[in-house]
Amino acid sequence: MTTVEFVIERTVEAPIDRVFARLVDIEGHNDWMPKQGTMFKHVRKTSSGEEQVGTTYLEETAQGPQPGDIVELERPHKVTYHWWDTSKAGKLRFEGWPGYSLEPAGENSTLVPHHAKLTMYGMYRLGAPLFRRLAVRERTTTIDALKASFESPTDQSPGSG
């Protein structure tokens, strides 16, 4: 097993409660996540109720379906997701933990450090340098899309976008 970790930071021009609401609204990701230049295609929540630790989802990606769940949630400051990718035989190939820690950065701004951790198993660990570059690109696209989702003049509601 080989693990890579990195942090990407952005300041989002919106109050912390609104940024947090957008990040934890799993199916709302379909509204603001880019569909091009990323592996993301679509996500749907697979458990009922309000998002909390243990909430499950299935993300459709360019690499196929990836199940996941919320493993950490502290309103309105922190959320960490966990996803995994297995072979047809059920062997774990990749696991990821994208997480966000939010801090107020003024009256109407939020500092969003985005911590990403990716673990590769088996032969995939040999490609760690390449997978790290791909992960940095993917996560940068994601956090930039989050930031841009608050720059739209039509963005009015707490979790919209």
Side-chain angles (χ1 to χ4, degrees):
M1 142 176 104
T2 299
T3 300
V4 297
E5 295 184 64
F6 55 90
V7 176
I8 303 165
E9 195 172 273
R10 297 290 185 270
T11 299
V12 175
E13 296 304 319
I16 191 170
D17 292 337
R18 289 187 62 218
V19 176
F20 186 82
R22 188 152 305 165
L23 285 170
V24 298
D25 179 9
I26 291 172
E27 291 185 344
H29 291 190
N30 295 312
D31 297 331
W32 60 267
M33 288 281 291
K35 306 295 188 285
Q36 294 186 0
T38 181
M39 290 178 43
F40 178 84
K41 290 184 177 185
H42 181 80
V43 65
R44 69 179 169 84
K45 196 163 85 166
T46 55
S47 57
S48 60
E50 182 180 18
E51 281 83 349
Q52 61 186 341
V53 171
T55 295
T56 59
Y57 61 91
L58 183 65
E59 185 172 333
E60 296 294 333
T61 74
Q63 304 302 314
Q66 291 178 334
D69 58 0
I70 295 176
V71 294
E72 190 173 28
L73 191 138
E74 298 170 19
R75 295 180 190 277
H77 296 282
K78 191 170 203 165
V79 62
T80 303
Y81 292 94
H82 172 233
W83 59 265
W84 54 93
D85 181 64
T86 57
S87 68
K88 289 182 182 181
K91 286 191 84 165
L92 199 55
R93 297 189 289 197
F94 297 96
E95 278 185 284
W97 292 267
Y100 303 86
S101 300
L102 282 60
E103 304 169 28
E107 196 173 312
N108 244 351
S109 297
T110 304
L111 180 64
V112 185
H114 175 33
H115 178 261
K117 178 178 171 183
L118 175 66
T119 299
M120 295 138 283
Y121 298 90
M123 67 178 187
Y124 295 99
R125 62 192 166 88
L126 300 174
L130 171 64
F131 291 125
R132 183 185 195 289
R133 283 196 307 274
L134 293 172
V136 168
R137 185 180 74 196
E138 184 76 15
R139 302 320 308 167
T140 298
T141 299
T142 298
I143 198 161
D144 287 345
L146 172 69
K147 181 177 179 177
S149 75
F150 286 97
E151 295 170 354
S152 167
T154 60
D155 176 46
Q156 301 294 322
S157 64
S160 71

